[in-house]
Amino acid sequence: MIVVLLGPPGAGKGTQGERIAERLGIPKIATGDVLRAAVRDGTEQGLAAKAYMDRGDLVPDSVILGIMKEVFESPSTADGAILDGVVRTVPQAEGLTGMLAELGRKVDNFLLFDVDDDELVKRLGGRTVCDTCQTPYKGLEPGTKCEKCGGNLVRRKDDEPEAIRNRLEVYRKQTAPVIDWVKEKKMTLVKIDASGDVDEITERALKELEG
Ligand SMILES: [Zn+2]
């Protein structure tokens, strides 16, 4: 089963993705992770990506897609995968589904995590991080001492309410067309309520996926 996770920052895609992947016995694949692995292993596409990174450039979609193809040609994904952060735009959705079609495979499910903006601002705004060891914290105010190293907890600029609203707006502008595209292609898109208890969200997602 190949599942693409969609949803705003702070919706818990990373955490839920891991839990769902574990329950289904398939790997969770995040763009950043496979990119780092390909560079480390020196695959053909990894070397291409490294050339961009060494110049300080963003790795283009075409190379990311090449890395995804390497991942889907490997036995580790024979039973499927949960894809987190792989599809954020329509071109990326087209690229992924086209590449999978070449391999005789398809996305079985687009799983959309639904959380309202006020809740997301609350969740993301509650984050602080240690200015020394970078350990992230939830629900501790800036100025609190880090439990690990005694450093000071600070709030990232990205996690200020105004910045969060902007990130959410960028997300909606990019993702709304992806949702329309999935529907237009008559592919399966399931929206799940991603607010509340972590275990309950996992169960809701699994119930949708396992039908
Ligand atoms: Zn620390």
Side-chain angles (χ1 to χ4, degrees), residues 130-135 137 145-153:
C130 172
D131 67 355
T132 307
C133 73
Q134 307 301 319
T135 300
Y137 287 91
K145 296 286 175 216
C146 173
E147 287 164 13
K148 288 194 179 156
C149 77
N152 282 312
L153 303 194

Side-chain angles (χ1 to χ4, degrees), residues 39-52:
V39 170
R40 184 193 62 218
D41 298 344
T43 67
E44 189 185 336
Q45 296 298 321
L47 293 175
K50 189 171 182 300
Y52 286 96

Side-chain angles (χ1 to χ4, degrees), residues 23-205:
R23 286 277 291 272
L24 295 177
I26 54 180
K28 186 198 117 177
I29 290 169
T31 307
D33 296 342
V34 290
L35 175 60
R36 276 188 293 275
V39 170
R40 184 193 62 218
D41 298 344
T43 67
E44 189 185 336
Q45 296 298 321
L47 293 175
K50 189 171 182 300
Y52 286 96
M53 292 158 83
D54 286 346
R55 291 197 297 268
D57 290 336
L58 276 178
V59 180
D61 277 1
S62 57
V63 174
I64 298 287
L65 192 61
I67 291 173
M68 283 298 156
K69 186 157 189 264
E70 289 177 340
V71 169
F72 277 99
E73 282 167 341
S74 93
S76 65
T77 54
D79 294 331
I82 306 290
L83 305 182
D84 171 21
V86 175
V87 173
R88 295 177 202 274
T89 65
V90 171
Q92 288 170 350
E94 287 173 339
L96 177 74
T97 51
M99 177 274 283
L100 288 172
E102 279 174 28
L103 299 175
R105 308 187 70 175
K106 66 177 175 63
V107 174
D108 296 287
N109 221 310
F110 287 83
L111 194 60
L112 175 62
F113 285 64
D114 187 42
V115 188
D116 71 40
D117 279 8
D118 289 342
E119 171 70 21
L120 292 170
V121 171
K122 215 163 89 189
R123 281 189 201 177
L124 294 166
R127 286 184 188 172
T128 47
V129 61
C130 172
D131 67 355
T132 307
C133 73
Q134 307 301 319
T135 300
Y137 287 91
K138 246 183 173 173
L140 291 183
E141 287 302 307
T144 310
K145 296 286 175 216
C146 173
E147 287 164 13
K148 288 194 179 156
C149 77
N152 282 312
L153 303 194
V154 292
R155 182 152 291 149
R156 288 201 181 114
K157 265 215 151 46
D158 250 17
D159 292 334
E160 299 284 353
E162 193 62 20
I164 295 168
R165 300 254 177 218
N166 281 334
R167 278 158 70 193
L168 293 176
E169 200 170 313
V170 169
Y171 159 78
R172 297 212 191 279
K173 269 192 194 145
Q174 284 185 335
T175 306
V178 174
I179 294 166
D180 291 342
W181 180 88
V182 171
K183 288 177 181 163
E184 208 176 281
K185 297 283 170 191
K186 310 237 182 300
M187 300 168 90
T188 308
L189 181 118
V190 183
K191 185 155 119 176
I192 64 154
D193 176 5
S195 54
D197 183 73
V198 176
D199 289 328
E200 281 172 20
I201 300 166
T202 308
E203 293 311 318
R204 264 177 228 145

